[in-house]
Every structure is written in C-alpha cells, then in structure tokens.
Amino acid sequence: MKEVADSPVMSKSKRQKEEERLRSLEGKLRDEEKRQAEHVARIRAWLQSVKDDLFEAGRGQQTSAFIQTCILPRVLFSESDAIYSAKLIIILHQQRITLFQSLVFIDKLFIDVLPLICALTENEANAMGTFLQILLSHAQRWHSDSGIFEKECEGFPGLVSKTRQDKTTESVNYESFRRLCFKWQMRLHTAFNSVLSVENNEYVQVRNCLVVMTKVG
C-alpha cells in the first residue's frame, strides 16, 4: 500500500484507485481468513465428536485399507493434495483419534507404498516425496528431543502398541520410537539402493527414486 502511495510514476487518481482496490482486496482476504479459521474450528470439533467411531477395534487390515483407498489416491492427485493428506494424518494424531495408530500407519506406509514409487509418473513421485517429507519431518521432530516426544506423543492413541484383554494398553516409549525411526530410514535406504545400485536400470525407476530422495533427504 505504501509503495503505491509513494509511486512517482502513477497519477494521483490512479494511486487512489489502486489504493482502494488494495484495501478492498485486503478486506476480502481478512474475511476469507476468518471464514477458513471458523471452518477449521468446526472440523476439529466434529473430529472430536466422532473420534471414537472413525476406526474399529479388531480390524487388522484397516490401516492398509485406509492408506490404499483413502490416502494414496489423494496423495498422487497433486502436490497440494499430498500436503493436505499429510496434514490430515498429523491432525488425526494430534486430535487423539481413538484406534488411529500413527506409528502403524507410517510403518505400513513404507511397506505398502515404497514399492509403488518406481511405477509412478514424475508428478506423482514428486507428490509422494512431499507427503513422505512432511510425515518424516514430524517423526524427526519427535525423535530429536525426549521432551517434545513426551508432550506430543506420550499417552496418545497413535503410539499404542498393544491392547490387553482388560483394555489396558502398552505404548511405544521414546527409545523404542528412536529405533523405529532408524528402521524407517533403513527401509528408505534399501528401497532407493535397490534401484540406484543396479547398472543400466530403467530410467523411470531411477528418476522417481531421485525425485523422492530430493524431497525426503
């Protein structure tokens, strides 16, 4: 706004019109920000109201089904959809959605999705890399400090590793989580190395691995 007012190349009337346009745009953006904030609050409240019903107990394959039917198709649609999908997973963890196992989700992601990387288009590989990078950056944040892990993970449903018959639970502790992160890194290394270490490998496979590596590296 100040740059427009001080512009020596614009006439007074043009400056006034441009200032009015910018003020109008600013007002619209503030209104949009308010509407979006209200929408986010409603969605978070809704998630809290249904958090006990979104996932079922005793469904051993539901995490894989959730990845394959809900998350993966959205991730591959575009990079912005990949960001949305990753943020959704983080919110499900933060909202303490009952029976949503964050660590199981990430673990199965590496089992189910990494083999698909070689078959993706370049845009899909880029989106997948973005999705993995966001999730891994959060995992790295928890890995970096026991205090952060305690605040953002300890006692959360996402870290439950076992539910006993008396309905008491056992959760992954900080040191176990650090070992799990190492396992994920090794899976990434093995998956990429299996492609990049082979001489005269398919161009598409090499390209996709490099695209994803530049995102998660």
Side-chain angles (χ1 to χ4, degrees):
M1 193 82 71
K2 186 177 184 301
E3 291 178 357
V4 172
D6 296 340
S7 175
V9 297
M10 297 179 69
S11 66
K12 184 177 180 180
S13 60
K14 284 185 176 180
R15 284 201 301 270
Q16 289 176 338
K17 288 181 180 179
E18 184 64 10
E19 287 176 9
E20 289 174 3
R21 186 187 71 81
L22 292 175
R23 287 194 187 95
S24 175
L25 178 60
E26 181 183 20
K28 290 178 181 178
L29 290 174
R30 290 187 184 280
D31 289 341
E32 175 67 16
E33 181 184 29
K34 182 180 178 181
R35 286 195 299 271
Q36 291 297 331
E38 291 171 349
H39 176 71
V40 169
R42 285 196 301 271
I43 294 300
R44 288 181 181 271
W46 175 80
L47 280 173
Q48 280 298 303
S49 70
V50 300
K51 70 176 186 177
D52 295 332
D53 304 317
L54 291 177
F55 294 89
E56 296 181 17
R59 292 282 303 278
Q61 298 300 316
Q62 70 177 338
T63 300
S64 292
F66 180 53
I67 292 172
Q68 293 166 8
T69 62
C70 298
I71 298 300
L72 190 57
R74 185 69 182 264
V75 168
L76 299 181
F77 195 72
S78 71
E79 188 168 17
S80 60
D81 287 287
I83 295 171
Y84 172 88
S85 300
K87 296 292 186 181
L88 172 63
I89 299 306
I90 293 164
I91 287 174
L92 291 177
H93 171 82
Q94 292 172 339
Q95 295 288 99
R96 304 187 184 215
I97 301 301
T98 306
L99 299 176
F100 176 69
Q101 297 173 292
S102 313
L103 299 189
V104 172
F105 177 91
I106 299 175
D107 199 56
K108 285 189 175 294
L109 192 66
F110 285 113
I111 296 172
D112 296 347
V113 172
L114 284 179
L116 299 178
I117 289 176
C118 293
L120 302 178
T121 67
E122 185 173 358
N123 287 339
E124 289 172 340
N126 185 65
M128 178 60 68
T130 297
F131 177 68
L132 294 175
Q133 187 275 327
I134 294 172
L135 292 182
L136 288 173
S137 67
H138 269 74
Q140 184 59 38
R141 170 181 166 80
W142 300 332
H143 177 280
S144 66
D145 189 287
S146 60
I148 294 175
F149 179 85
E150 181 179 349
K151 180 180 178 181
E152 299 184 3
C153 297
E154 202 165 277
F156 281 56
L159 273 78
V160 171
S161 59
K162 183 186 296 184
T163 301
R164 304 182 183 90
Q165 288 186 343
D166 61 0
K167 295 188 178 180
T168 59
T169 59
E170 183 177 315
S171 297
V172 174
N173 60 30
Y174 179 60
E175 289 305 320
S176 296
F177 175 73
R178 286 168 62 89
R179 289 193 293 271
L180 191 56
C181 285
F182 177 75
K183 184 177 79 169
W184 295 337
Q185 293 291 343
M186 287 304 299
R187 279 185 181 168
L188 278 174
H189 170 77
T190 301
F192 294 144
N193 191 57
S194 66
V195 173
L196 300 178
S197 64
V198 177
E199 192 173 350
N200 298 323
N201 211 332
E202 290 287 339
Y203 164 75
V204 171
Q205 295 182 11
V206 173
R207 179 201 65 195
N208 287 356
C209 283
L210 292 175
V211 167
V212 175
M213 284 176 67
T214 58
K215 291 286 186 176
V216 302

